[in-house]
Amino acid sequence: MIKKYVIAGLWSTFCLTLAFAQDKKLPLDSSVRMGTLPNGFSYFIKTNKQPEKRATLYLANKVGSILEEENERGLAHFLEHMNFNGTKHYPENELIHYLERAGVKFGADLNAYTAFDETVYQLPLPTDDTALWKNGMQIMRDWAADATLDSGEYEKERGVILEEKRLTQRASNRMQTQFWPTLFNFSRYAVRLPIGEEEVIRKADLQQIRNFYKKWYRPDLQALIVVGDVDIDRVEEEIKSLFGDLNVSKDTQERPVYAIDLKPQEGFVKATDKENAQYQVEFFFKREKQPLRYESDFKKELINDLANSLLASRLQEVYRRNNQPYFSAQASAGPLIGNLEAFNIGISLTPGKLKEGFISVWMEIERIKRFGFTDAELKEAKERVERSVELMVKEQDKMASTILADTYLRYFLEGRVFMQTGTQASLILKYLPAVTLTDVSTFVNSYLAEADRTILVLGPDKDDVALPEQTDVKAWMAVAAGQDLKRFEEETPKTTLLDHSLVPGKIVKKQEMEELGLRHWVLSNGMHIYVKPTNFKNDEVLFLGSSPGGSSLYQDADYRSASNATAFVVNSGLGKLNQNQLVKVLNGKAVRVEPYIGERSEGFSGASSGKDLETALQMIHLYMAQARLDTARFSQILERSKTAMLNRVDDPARAFSDTISNVLGNYHIRRKPADIEALNQIDSTRLFQIFKERFSDAADFTFVFTGSVQPDSLQSMVEYYLGSLPALNRHESALDLNIRVPEGKIRKDLFMGSANKATVQMVISGTYDYEVKNNLYLDVFRAALSFRLTERLREQEGGVYSPSVQLTKAKQPIGFYTFTLSFDCNPQRMESLISAVKDEWSHLHNEGITMDDLQKFRAEEARALEVGMQSNTFWLNYLEGQLKNEEPLREVLDFSVLLDQLTLENIKKQAGKWLKDDNEIMVTLKPESLK
């Protein structure tokens, strides 16, 4: 017997050794030019033409908050800010101003982030402007080693960072501080949040940040990633010239690597907050994260992905079947933080049913532990993977530069291999058929057996509901484990959406709009179809369809039923299929169809691959001709919504939002936020009747299709699936409900919550003639206000992290616009900052904009249009918007000319006309203690 065990053990060791010996390294994408300069600086360059004449640049630093000493907590993030406040070639804020004048928008395009282990600067650049490209590369060099770290800018930025930190004063962050130490095993990661400590931010002197910069911003910890429409050889020479002279000091400290030690024990935290509304139990089963380097790693990740897909599908199907006593449940495995990954199970529980809901979910976890998944479930999961691989391969030459840059970033920071799309696809298809149910079950059960686990119980700080203790959770788990469970049984799905033939219509009119590359068809039932084929993506079709009317055609008593109709219908299945059956029929298909009923129109939004476009059209047909309402599902959803409403807590953010809605809507019933009374007004019979009425008349509908569509095949499908729909020829128009933003000056001040934070929202409105030139003037004012408030409130006052300026323009029911100005700040400074906003508004009204404002606006709009016109999404939204507003479709072609025709004189005239503050609504929120 002894010899037998020894021989078996030796054989196992031999097989294991052989397996590792045969394990292949994953090949890097050879089309990426990568290298390391003698000083240790790394670079990655990839040619990619999505979008054309653009490139994405990242400066990556293996420097983050984890490297901070106790008296430096927050300096890595502070330093990131300072790199925008002055460099060798761009002192003070000139860097931002220069790039904005070139059309690169701060915050949206030009940005950076600081994490635990890295700081990354992001700069998208045009590649067809030689001077701008050269200067952009110089900016990357300046960020790497030549920040000026000016004392005046340092003091001003201190206030900005404190305001950014103020934004974290919310329930989720306060609860996070309660459980992070336990979740991260009391490691350094638990006490090195990138935002830092207020005391350090307030008191750290300039020399501290200079020392941190000198110590850690160095070439052996840095890389430049360039992906876009570039010449690789030329960019490589530029990198060598710009970054080759960076030096590494002889006494340089080795960059320490911090890890979280696994602990063979269970941690438990119960965290509460008065402003937290949900009751949750979360589990984290932790283990060491393995980098992606070998084919064996790849296969493990594939099993992980399949397990996540199977878990999500199972839990969703169970949730849809019955009136479950919980709000939601999810389970998945993936990266956690640092060197750890985790299997996370999250359960959102119904108040009053905490035990019942938990046991119900945990029984499903136990069922999975005992019996695993079914053959049919695994087959469906593999079909989803195969379809995603098919799409990935089709789009491999149309992948966005930012997506590619992110993969090279992970390689530099973590050693995660990046491969060619074809190689990755081949490996998936190689290993996918071999993955068995045993592989998936072993993966899930091994994770659930990990000794290092953390249980979190999260909820509101309320006296009337007792949150479970650790012993309670363990007892509930034991109850679930003691159940006599059976294998999961799937519903037998019907295999088709449509099980009957249709009588097709015909296209009775065709029109070609060559300037726009657009086709216009009219079907025999009166439906209008606009088709714009593009080659921006190889296999992407987007569509929108709409009909005038919406909920405006119904009485106030029916408003809640009308506005909520699509949510209930969509959750009921389609045609003869219930929701679970519909999910199975659509499995492995790249298709999305979403009906909606808005206030002034109803319609569809959706997307599909070319192969699945027929399925999308079938779904549109069924929603319009054979929609269904599952009354059991209706009752379940409504009951859950009421329960959630009854257990609301005093949430300052929600109260603030509700007040704004009420005031702007003049307290009209259709602008009133939902409450129990509103939910009680939803009637299933009336709701379904309204849905069918809204989608019953094909003659009133207009559809726009754009993307990789084949007009000939689309024509036959449109005739069959859309042309066969009935027409009532109602030709409706939306009603004017006479809901207007009130005139005059109104102010509402709220005092709620414990956060030492004030929130301000100011809305200034007016009427105007909606047309392209007037719209452009309003856009100029929005941009100028954004530039000025950022400069005044953030840079000069140091009182706001990120002021927001939003512009809304509407043609129907009347020409109307609103400017919404909002910011968060120190409550003690709120009034002075409001005065500063009004001062900037008044200055813009009286003086108009500056040439600098105009130059930035022109550049920003021109660059945005150039990139946008290479996007299916842009064309879809533009065409649909023009059609709805009955505006000329070719307007976009003249936009550049209109931009050039803008003058300071004309803009000033319009500013004096429109930028009055007669109609000003202001809502503020301050902590309850200041009442």
Side-chain angles (χ1 to χ4, degrees):
M1 289 293 291
I2 295 176
K3 287 184 178 179
K4 184 177 180 180
Y5 285 129
V6 170
I7 291 171
L10 289 172
W11 177 249
S12 297
T13 303
F14 172 75
C15 290
L16 189 63
T17 304
L18 183 63
F20 277 107
Q22 293 176 338
D23 198 6
K24 294 181 181 179
K25 271 192 173 183
L26 294 170
L28 292 171
D29 182 352
S30 59
S31 68
V32 179
R33 180 76 57 83
M34 53 186 294
T36 304
L37 302 181
N39 57 12
F41 188 87
S42 300
Y43 59 86
F44 304 81
I45 314 167
K46 165 75 173 177
T47 297
N48 185 60
K49 295 185 181 294
Q50 188 64 26
E52 293 181 348
K53 301 178 183 179
R54 290 289 184 282
T56 294
L57 283 69
Y58 288 175
L59 176 70
N61 302 267
K62 293 181 179 179
V63 182
S65 58
I66 203 70
L67 297 180
E68 297 166 349
E69 299 302 331
E70 191 65 27
N71 66 341
E72 297 175 325
R73 291 172 65 181
L75 293 194
H77 175 245
F78 205 142
L79 181 55
E80 173 220 309
H81 277 242
M82 289 303 298
N83 247 329
F84 290 89
N85 284 36
T87 66
K88 179 179 179 180
H89 293 87
Y90 296 90
E92 297 179 341
N93 289 310
E94 183 52 34
L95 184 152
I96 294 173
H97 292 316
Y98 169 74
L99 290 172
E100 286 185 331
R101 285 192 290 270
V104 181
K105 189 175 181 180
F106 179 52
D109 303 320
L110 170 68
N111 216 327
Y113 74 87
T114 303
F116 288 95
D117 290 293
E118 76 252 25
T119 303
V120 180
Y121 299 85
Q122 305 165 336
L123 178 60
L125 279 178
T127 57
D128 56 348
D129 185 324
T130 304
L132 180 56
W133 177 263
K134 178 181 178 181
N135 292 334
M137 290 289 284
Q138 182 64 61
I139 287 170
M140 305 306 281
R141 169 61 167 80
D142 279 12
W143 279 340
D146 287 323
T148 54
L149 302 178
D150 175 77
S151 58
E153 293 296 323
Y154 183 72
E155 291 305 321
K156 284 195 295 185
E157 199 64 24
R158 195 192 300 272
V160 174
I161 295 172
L162 287 170
E163 291 310 311
E164 183 178 0
K165 183 171 176 60
R166 193 184 304 279
L167 299 179
T168 66
Q169 294 186 26
R170 50 182 178 262
S172 59
N173 291 82
R174 291 193 292 268
M175 295 173 70
Q176 190 180 82
T177 60
Q178 297 176 53
F179 64 74
W180 268 32
T182 300
L183 180 59
F184 299 150
N185 293 351
F186 298 91
S187 67
R188 193 179 181 94
Y189 281 91
V191 290
R192 287 295 183 274
L193 270 69
I195 193 63
E197 289 296 303
E198 184 170 336
E199 189 73 6
V200 174
I201 298 168
R202 287 190 181 280
K203 295 183 178 179
D205 61 39
L206 184 57
Q207 192 57 46
Q208 281 182 274
I209 204 166
R210 284 176 174 167
N211 292 342
F212 189 88
Y213 187 50
K214 182 179 179 182
K215 183 178 183 179
W216 297 120
Y217 272 58
R218 60 189 206 222
D220 60 314
L221 299 178
Q222 294 176 318
L224 184 67
I225 299 169
V226 180
V227 183
D229 194 356
V230 297
D231 181 294
I232 290 180
D233 293 332
R234 182 172 64 84
V235 173
E236 185 176 36
E237 288 305 312
E238 290 174 326
I239 291 172
K240 290 177 178 178
S241 174
L242 283 167
F243 297 91
D245 64 346
L246 295 175
N247 295 317
V248 179
S249 173
K250 293 181 180 179
D251 58 352
T252 293
Q253 176 183 334
E254 185 177 350
R255 198 266 198 210
V257 177
Y258 295 97
I260 302 175
D261 294 330
L262 290 171
K263 297 183 178 182
Q265 62 192 51
E266 182 176 273
F268 178 85
V269 178
K270 185 166 65 173
T272 63
D273 192 277
K274 289 183 178 180
E275 296 170 16
N276 175 57
Q278 292 185 315
Y279 295 85
Q280 295 169 285
V281 178
E282 289 207 52
F283 290 78
F284 293 87
F285 300 84
K286 292 169 274 185
R287 64 169 51 159
E288 287 277 351
K289 181 169 62 178
Q290 299 298 318
L292 180 66
R293 293 174 182 166
Y294 294 90
E295 286 197 20
S296 59
D297 303 324
F298 189 90
K299 183 178 180 182
K300 290 174 185 175
E301 285 205 1
L302 180 59
I303 294 171
N304 187 339
D305 292 342
L306 282 168
N308 286 347
S309 179
L310 286 161
L311 285 160
S313 295
R314 170 72 69 84
L315 292 176
Q316 288 168 9
E317 181 166 349
V318 169
Y319 185 73
R320 287 191 295 260
R321 282 190 182 183
N322 302 302
N323 190 11
Q324 300 290 354
Y326 55 89
F327 282 128
S328 65
Q330 66 82 28
S332 64
L336 180 60
I337 196 170
N339 60 305
L340 295 188
E341 59 185 22
F343 186 84
N344 170 237
I345 301 173
I347 310 169
S348 181
L349 294 165
T350 305
K353 297 182 180 179
L354 303 187
K355 179 180 179 180
E356 181 184 355
F358 180 90
I359 292 174
S360 180
V361 174
W362 207 257
M363 283 170 58
E364 294 307 321
I365 301 298
E366 281 291 331
R367 196 188 314 275
I368 291 168
K369 285 172 64 177
R370 293 183 201 178
F371 305 111
F373 298 93
T374 67
D375 290 325
E377 285 178 306
L378 182 59
K379 180 176 180 291
E380 290 170 359
K382 288 183 176 182
E383 287 173 353
R384 291 192 290 272
V385 173
E386 288 168 346
R387 187 71 177 104
S388 67
V389 170
E390 182 182 346
L391 294 171
M392 178 176 70
V393 171
K394 282 188 176 181
E395 298 293 355
Q396 60 183 313
D397 63 330
K398 299 291 176 70
M399 198 172 294
S401 292
T402 51
I403 294 175
L404 294 170
D406 285 338
T407 63
Y408 313 146
L409 178 66
R410 288 302 111 200
Y411 177 76
F412 173 69
L413 295 172
E414 302 171 5
R416 181 179 175 81
V417 166
F418 57 86
M419 294 175 283
Q420 286 186 334
T421 301
T423 303
Q424 186 178 352
S426 296
L427 284 170
I428 292 173
L429 297 178
K430 171 184 175 181
Y431 286 117
L432 187 64
V435 177
T436 66
L437 287 171
T438 301
D439 292 329
V440 177
S441 292
T442 300
F443 174 83
V444 172
N445 288 333
S446 66
Y447 242 128
L448 292 173
E450 294 290 356
D452 189 333
R453 65 181 66 179
T454 299
I455 303 174
L456 306 179
V457 174
L458 314 174
D461 186 5
K462 295 173 68 175
D463 296 331
D464 57 340
V465 179
L467 293 177
E469 300 292 342
Q470 185 174 11
T471 53
D472 297 319
V473 174
K474 302 293 283 186
W476 297 350
M477 293 170 69
V479 170
Q483 298 297 309
D484 180 18
L485 302 174
K486 293 180 173 59
R487 289 182 179 275
F488 180 74
E489 294 184 7
E490 292 187 284
E491 291 188 47
T492 302
K494 294 182 175 66
T495 56
T496 58
L497 276 170
L498 272 172
D499 59 0
H500 59 281
S501 61
L502 306 174
V503 179
K506 291 290 184 183
I507 291 177
V508 297
K509 181 181 178 182
K510 290 185 177 182
Q511 179 186 6
E512 298 280 341
M513 303 179 191
E514 294 183 1
E515 280 186 300
L516 294 165
L518 190 65
R519 292 169 168 83
H520 175 210
W521 304 331
V522 181
L523 291 170
S524 51
N525 59 8
M527 183 181 288
H528 288 253
I529 308 291
Y530 289 83
V531 185
K532 181 174 174 59
T534 72
N535 59 2
F536 307 137
K537 292 284 187 179
N538 294 325
D539 197 15
E540 177 186 77
V541 181
L542 306 181
F543 55 86
L544 288 170
S546 67
S547 167
S551 63
S552 72
L553 301 182
Y554 297 90
Q555 298 297 317
D556 289 346
D558 288 328
Y559 168 66
R560 297 296 177 180
S561 294
S563 61
N564 288 282
T566 54
F568 289 100
V569 170
V570 166
N571 279 281
S572 296
L574 188 57
K576 295 184 178 181
L577 306 178
N578 66 29
Q579 184 67 359
N580 277 335
Q581 291 169 336
L582 178 62
V583 169
K584 292 183 183 300
V585 168
L586 297 180
N587 185 72
K589 295 183 183 294
V591 62
R592 174 181 60 83
V593 176
E594 297 174 351
Y596 74 88
I597 297 177
E599 185 164 278
R600 298 185 57 80
S601 67
E602 59 278 334
F604 297 90
S605 67
S608 76
S609 65
K611 184 170 77 173
D612 296 317
L613 180 56
E614 185 171 12
T615 300
L617 292 170
Q618 290 175 353
M619 293 176 70
I620 293 172
H621 179 96
L622 286 171
Y623 275 123
M624 295 183 71
Q626 277 185 262
R628 58 182 280 154
L629 180 68
D630 185 327
T631 54
R633 287 282 289 153
F634 171 86
S635 299
Q636 292 167 14
I637 296 170
L638 192 60
E639 186 62 32
R640 288 179 186 134
S641 300
K642 288 181 179 180
T643 301
M645 201 73 70
L646 285 169
N647 287 279
R648 278 185 169 184
V649 296
D650 292 331
D651 181 2
R654 191 191 71 247
F656 182 74
S657 175
D658 288 354
T659 300
I660 291 170
S661 296
N662 277 321
V663 174
L664 292 181
N666 220 356
Y667 295 90
H668 194 283
I669 188 173
R670 298 184 186 230
R671 297 294 183 269
K672 181 183 177 184
D675 54 18
I676 290 292
E677 180 185 356
L679 294 178
N680 285 331
Q681 293 172 4
I682 301 175
D683 176 80
S684 61
T685 302
R686 186 66 178 129
L687 173 152
F688 194 39
Q689 182 183 17
I690 290 172
F691 183 92
K692 290 189 290 185
E693 287 174 357
R694 289 297 84 225
F695 292 93
S696 63
D697 186 6
D700 239 7
F701 272 84
T702 297
F703 276 85
V704 178
F705 293 85
T706 186
S708 50
V709 293
Q710 302 298 322
D712 291 340
S713 62
L714 177 62
Q715 175 178 331
S716 61
M717 287 189 289
V718 160
E719 288 179 325
Y720 188 75
Y721 294 110
L722 302 186
S724 58
L725 290 165
L728 303 178
N729 296 305
R730 294 181 305 201
H731 302 297
E732 297 170 315
S733 297
L735 296 181
D736 182 356
L737 299 172
N738 201 33
I739 304 174
R740 305 284 189 265
V741 174
E743 297 180 348
K745 296 200 174 185
I746 300 171
R747 176 163 175 167
K748 299 287 184 181
D749 297 303
L750 305 182
F751 296 87
M752 289 184 67
S754 58
N756 184 31
K757 178 177 68 174
T759 301
V760 177
Q761 184 158 314
M762 185 186 309
V763 178
I764 301 175
S765 62
T767 58
Y768 80 120
D769 292 328
Y770 184 103
E771 58 95 19
V772 62
K773 289 184 179 179
N774 289 342
N775 289 342
L776 193 56
Y777 284 126
L778 288 172
D779 288 334
V780 170
F781 301 142
R782 178 209 54 78
L785 276 168
S786 184
F787 297 144
R788 292 180 181 203
L789 293 188
T790 298
E791 177 68 25
R792 177 73 178 272
L793 303 185
R794 177 183 168 117
E795 304 303 335
Q796 293 182 24
E797 304 282 350
V800 173
Y801 172 63
S802 181
S804 170
V805 180
Q806 301 294 326
L807 169 65
T808 301
K809 302 174 293 224
K811 183 176 183 179
Q812 301 294 340
I814 61 170
F816 190 79
Y817 65 87
T818 60
F819 287 96
T820 302
L821 321 177
S822 54
F823 59 89
D824 295 285
C825 66
N826 184 337
Q828 307 301 329
R829 299 191 61 189
M830 186 185 80
E831 295 301 335
S832 65
L833 292 169
I834 288 173
S835 295
V837 170
K838 291 186 174 183
D839 183 49
E840 292 300 326
W841 180 276
S842 176
H843 185 76
L844 189 62
H845 171 258
N846 295 326
E847 304 297 329
I849 69 172
T850 66
M851 181 54 72
D852 189 57
D853 291 334
L854 181 56
Q855 183 179 348
K856 287 179 181 179
F857 174 75
R858 279 176 172 163
E860 185 180 295
E861 292 295 304
R863 296 292 184 189
L865 181 64
E866 186 179 345
V867 173
M869 291 180 75
Q870 300 178 54
S871 159
N872 291 326
T873 302
F874 169 85
W875 282 106
L876 181 73
N877 292 327
Y878 169 75
L879 291 170
E880 206 240 0
Q882 295 296 101
L883 289 166
K884 269 189 174 181
N885 286 320
E886 299 180 344
E887 294 290 315
L889 294 180
R890 70 173 315 282
E891 237 173 41
V892 68
L893 303 178
D894 299 325
F895 188 75
S896 297
V897 174
L898 293 174
L899 269 180
D900 292 339
Q901 291 175 349
L902 288 173
T903 66
L904 294 180
E905 181 180 359
N906 286 337
I907 292 171
K908 183 178 180 179
K909 288 180 182 177
Q910 299 300 327
K913 176 181 176 182
W914 288 343
L915 295 186
K916 300 173 182 177
D917 60 357
D918 298 344
N919 300 328
E920 174 192 285
I921 294 173
M922 187 184 304
V923 180
T924 72
L925 172 66
K926 295 171 76 172
E928 189 174 8
S929 59
L930 298 180
K931 190 172 182 178

